[in-house]
Amino acid sequence: MATGERTRPQAPDTPGTGADTSSGQSAGTGGRGRGPLPAWVLGGAGVVTMFVCWDLVVRLGVISPDSVPPPADTMARLAELLADASFLGQVLQTLLAWLVSMLLASAVGVPLGLVLGYFATLYRPASALVHAARSIPSSAFLPIVILLFGLGLQMKVSLSAYAVFWPILLNAMYGVRDAEPLMLTAGRAMGWGRGKLLSRIVLPSAAPAIATGLRVACSTALIVVLSAELLGATSGVGTVITTYQEAQRPDYVYAGILIIGVLGMLIYYGVNLAERLLVPWGHAQRGADR
């Protein structure tokens, strides 16, 4: 007996729909669960690749072992240098020159950059002078510096401090100029003086740029110190490398170069860590811009 009710016919199941679709989505989601590899894994893979390529080039005879020794020999000489107290003393001489030059350049460059950047009447004429002076390489002053200070620590410090003074100064100036104008206007409207404006608005705004200048300067200072040592200083890692180069011991030369690379890497990561702890807002902003 008919009831008068009509039922809607159901469409037949088609492949790839229904339960199959949900299972496919879950499988696809699971496949996308892996994140990128950590930075230290990629860095370690790059180092291993470099040593493998180095060893292959030497073994295949592409480069003579007299010019580029095998990695195993170089690492053996590196261990000998690290166990030598006199060599470690030379490493400390290099680091001392680097540290003193950074302290001198920072102590003068940061305050001067803040002043030149804050006052518009000083910023415009000083900007042209700074750009002209920073284009002169520090090596151009090498003969004068040798006449003034000899070949000791003062020579290395003066050349390195001159080279890194300009990026520190410029970044401090630009950091101040990039301070938010609306915040400065609001501070003045509340009756804040110049001291309070500097401490509450200008310095926090300029801190990331200052940190960037210091980070760049740290690498530059090490390069200039080592260059001065290679050109004729009386102490430091560069003088040790020059001595072994004259003795035709490339294994020790490359071992010294590797030690310099490790020093540069430690300085880089140390400065990055300090920036992350002292200027966390700048580090976060730099990461967001990438």
Side-chain angles (χ1 to χ4, degrees):
M1 182 177 180
T3 59
E5 297 179 357
R6 293 186 300 174
T7 60
R8 182 176 298 176
Q10 296 181 354
D13 293 337
T14 58
T17 61
D20 293 339
T21 303
S22 61
S23 62
Q25 291 176 349
S26 61
T29 303
R32 294 193 298 267
R34 294 182 180 178
L37 292 175
W40 65 269
V41 174
L42 297 176
V47 172
V48 171
T49 303
M50 181 195 73
F51 276 99
V52 170
C53 294
W54 179 2
D55 188 68
L56 288 176
V57 166
V58 177
R59 289 181 181 274
L60 294 176
V62 178
I63 300 178
S64 172
D66 296 332
S67 301
V68 180
D73 295 347
T74 303
M75 297 305 294
R77 302 295 86 76
L78 186 147
E80 292 179 9
L81 290 176
L82 292 178
D84 187 356
S86 62
F87 176 78
L88 295 179
Q90 299 299 325
V91 173
L92 292 178
Q93 288 292 323
T94 298
L95 292 178
L96 177 63
W98 169 82
L99 179 61
V100 173
S101 63
M102 282 298 303
L103 291 176
L104 288 176
S106 302
V108 179
V110 173
L112 183 59
L114 294 176
V115 173
L116 295 179
Y118 186 78
F119 296 100
T121 54
L122 297 177
Y123 175 79
R124 293 185 181 92
S127 179
L129 179 61
V130 168
H131 283 290
R134 77 185 186 96
S135 63
I136 304 174
S138 60
S139 58
F141 297 98
L142 183 61
I144 300 175
V145 171
I146 292 176
L147 289 175
L148 291 174
F149 305 115
L151 298 175
L153 177 65
Q154 291 178 331
M155 182 266 285
K156 296 186 290 184
V157 169
S158 58
L159 289 175
S160 179
Y162 174 84
V164 301
F165 170 76
W166 305 112
I168 294 175
L169 176 67
L170 282 173
N171 276 272
M173 292 171 59
Y174 292 154
V176 173
R177 301 300 295 177
D178 290 340
E180 184 60 42
L182 292 178
M183 296 180 65
L184 292 173
T185 303
R188 294 189 184 99
M190 291 186 292
W192 290 2
R194 286 178 177 174
K196 200 168 185 179
L197 288 174
L198 282 171
S199 61
R200 296 289 185 88
I201 298 176
V202 176
L203 281 178
S205 299
I210 294 173
T212 300
L214 292 174
R215 187 174 67 251
V216 173
C218 283
S219 300
T220 305
L222 183 63
I223 293 172
V224 174
V225 168
L226 289 167
S227 299
E229 293 173 352
L230 291 170
L231 290 173
T234 57
S235 63
V237 179
T239 61
V240 177
I241 293 177
T242 302
T243 301
Y244 283 118
Q245 183 266 332
E246 294 174 351
Q248 297 184 356
R249 291 300 305 267
D251 47 353
Y252 282 102
V253 171
Y254 282 95
I257 293 173
L258 288 179
I259 291 173
I260 291 172
V262 172
L263 286 178
M265 182 187 67
L266 293 177
I267 289 173
Y268 172 80
Y269 284 110
V271 173
N272 269 351
L273 178 60
E275 180 183 356
R276 187 176 302 179
L277 295 176
L278 299 176
V279 194
W281 61 93
H283 183 82
Q285 181 181 3
R286 194 172 80 239
D289 293 337
R290 291 178 178 175

